[in-house]
Amino acid sequence: MPEPWVVNASPLIILSRISRLDFLESLAPTVLIPQAVIAEVGAGLNRDPTAATTLQWAKGRIVPNLPLPVTIAAWGLGAGESQVIAHCLGNARTAVLDDQAGRACARAQGVSVIGTLGVILLAQQRGLIGQARPWVMQAQAAGLFLEPALIAKVLASIGESYPCNPKRSECLRR
C-alpha cells in the first residue's frame, strides 16, 4: 500500500506556483502538512500571490507539530523540515522535501524521500502529464533550484532532453 506523504513548504510553494497541487492529491493516498510548514507558507502571504491558494488547499491536511526527537533536532534544520521528518518517523510515511540537509537528515532516520522534481517525474510516469520537461522548466522558473546537470540526467533517464548551456560541460554529462 502506498505511503502517506508529509509535505514541506518548498514543494508546496513550487507546485502551487505552477498550478499543480493536484499532483500531490493524485500521487499520494494521503497528504499531511505539519503546522510549522503552514506557518512558513503563511509568512509569504505579502510576497507570494500563490500563498493564499496554497493555504486554502492545505486546509483539512494540517497536522499539529510534534515534539522533536534529538536525532532530528541535532541537525539544526528549519522548523518545517524538522516537523516533516518527525511526522514520518515510525509511521511509514514519505517526506516530500527539496532541502538537501533535510533530505540527508530524513535518509539518516530511515525515512523515504521525494522532492518536487521526483513528484513531477512520478506524475509523468503515472500518466498525469505527457512530458515532465515543461513542468520541470516551469518549476525552475517558479523558484526550484536544482543543478542543470541533475535535471538533464533525470530527464534523460525518461527519454526527455533538457536545454543546457553547451559552455557548462556538466550539462552534457549523462
Side-chain angles (χ1 to χ4, degrees):
M1 179 169 181
E3 299 174 347
W5 288 5
V6 185
V7 186
N8 194 33
S10 174
L12 275 179
I13 292 165
I14 299 299
L15 291 170
S16 181
R17 286 179 182 168
I18 66 170
S19 302
R20 293 315 307 239
L21 286 168
D22 64 303
F23 287 169
L24 297 172
E25 295 170 321
S26 299
L27 298 171
T30 305
V31 176
L32 304 173
I33 305 167
Q35 186 62 46
V37 171
I38 295 299
E40 289 177 2
V41 173
L45 275 171
N46 294 329
R47 296 182 313 276
D48 186 345
T50 65
T53 302
T54 306
L55 293 172
Q56 180 64 34
W57 179 87
K59 283 185 178 178
R61 296 173 172 92
I62 302 169
V63 292
N65 290 335
L66 298 173
L68 281 186
V70 174
T71 58
I72 297 172
W75 284 76
L77 303 172
E81 287 92 354
S82 296
Q83 284 298 318
V84 166
I85 298 164
H87 276 277
C88 291
L89 285 181
N91 289 315
R93 295 176 176 161
T94 297
V96 185
L97 295 162
D98 287 333
D99 178 76
Q100 277 189 332
R103 292 168 68 89
C105 176
R107 287 187 185 111
Q109 311 295 318
V111 171
S112 298
V113 179
I114 190 170
T116 303
L117 179 60
V119 170
I120 293 170
L121 293 177
L122 190 57
Q124 187 272 337
Q125 291 169 355
R126 299 244 179 109
L128 299 178
I129 54 177
Q131 289 188 310
R133 180 179 168 226
W135 296 104
V136 171
M137 302 286 286
Q138 284 186 46
Q140 278 188 291
L144 180 63
F145 299 108
L146 292 173
E147 288 294 320
L150 172 64
I151 296 172
K153 181 179 179 180
V154 169
L155 288 177
S157 76
I158 61 167
E160 294 186 33
S161 64
Y162 178 71
C164 288
N165 180 344
K167 293 180 182 177
R168 294 187 65 181
S169 61
E170 71 271 10
C171 290
L172 302 177
R173 284 188 232 134
R174 303 271 178 196

